[in-house]
């Protein structure tokens, strides 16, 4: 199974902190990432750009709010203590609309190829699910 064994990297999940906002904004707005986002079929229309431009304010509001009061939440993924991406859980209290999104920050994995990315995602998935299930006492995440 991916990510198992003595050589598996240690994945951690930590709540979003103020110092993480710059990395999230860089992920979305760094010109070097635009081709990457386009390859994932992310379209940046005027409305989505406007929403993303104020995303830092949204994240600061999230940090100020107690986790159990959030309708959506963002956590930071660490690998061996190094921050490598973020996971967003939308619509926490509505099982019909819940969605979990993974965003690995480009250039943060020790090796960034398809195999290492799949191995990392295979470790992030159970870590993120465990965090969200514990933090929000959820029965399911769709």
């Amino acid at each position: 199974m991916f990510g198992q064994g003595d050589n598996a990297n240690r994945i951690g999940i930590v709540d979003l902190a103020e110092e993480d906002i710059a990395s999230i904004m860089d992920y979305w707005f760094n010109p070097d990432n635009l081709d990457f986002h386009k390859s994932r079929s992310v379209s940046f229309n005027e409305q989505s750009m406007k929403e993303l431009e104020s995303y830092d304010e949204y994240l600061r509001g999230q940090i100020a709010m107690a986790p159990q009061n959030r309708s959506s939440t963002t956590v930071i993924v660490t690998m061996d203590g190094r921050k490598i991406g973020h996971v967003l859980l939308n619509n926490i209290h509505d099982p019909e609309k819940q969605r979990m999104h993974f965003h690995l920050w480009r250039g943060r994995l020790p090796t960034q190829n398809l195999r290492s990315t799949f191995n990392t995602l295979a470790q992030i998935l159970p870590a993120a699910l465990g965090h969200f299930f514990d933090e929000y006492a959820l029965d399911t995440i769709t």
Side-chain angles (χ1 to χ4, degrees):
M1 179 177 207
F2 290 122
Q4 300 298 315
D6 294 335
N7 295 325
N9 295 309
R10 289 172 297 280
I11 295 294
I13 303 293
V14 296
D15 202 18
L16 178 69
E18 179 77 28
E19 66 265 14
D20 302 319
I21 294 173
S23 293
I24 292 172
M25 297 305 286
D26 181 70
Y27 170 82
W28 287 112
F29 287 105
N30 185 323
D32 293 339
N33 293 337
L34 291 180
D35 287 338
F36 168 70
H37 292 307
K38 287 178 185 174
S39 74
R40 298 183 319 114
S41 300
V42 175
S43 62
F44 292 109
N45 59 37
E46 189 174 326
Q47 178 64 27
S48 64
M49 287 302 289
K50 190 176 233 179
E51 289 172 11
L52 275 176
E53 286 172 3
S54 62
Y55 196 54
D56 59 338
E57 295 171 28
Y58 170 80
L59 293 171
R60 283 186 184 84
Q62 187 181 109
I63 291 167
M65 189 179 300
Q68 61 273 17
N69 295 333
R70 298 174 185 170
S71 60
S72 297
T73 193
T74 304
V75 294
I76 301 300
V77 178
T78 65
M79 175 186 281
D80 296 324
R82 184 173 176 233
K83 295 177 180 183
I84 62 165
H86 66 284
V87 179
L88 173 66
L89 178 62
N90 290 332
N91 304 305
I92 293 169
H93 306 291
D94 185 349
E96 297 297 318
K97 295 182 180 178
Q98 283 173 352
R99 296 292 179 265
M100 191 165 54
H101 307 268
F102 296 88
H103 301 281
L104 292 177
W105 299 334
R106 295 189 63 207
R108 299 287 182 102
L109 292 176
T111 305
Q112 192 116 15
N113 59 40
L114 191 56
R115 181 185 172 115
S116 68
T117 300
F118 279 135
N119 285 338
T120 301
L121 287 173
Q123 294 173 63
I124 293 171
L125 180 61
L129 286 170
H131 173 83
F132 292 136
F133 283 131
D134 291 346
E135 186 71 34
Y136 297 99
L138 300 173
D139 294 326
T140 61
I141 296 177
T142 56

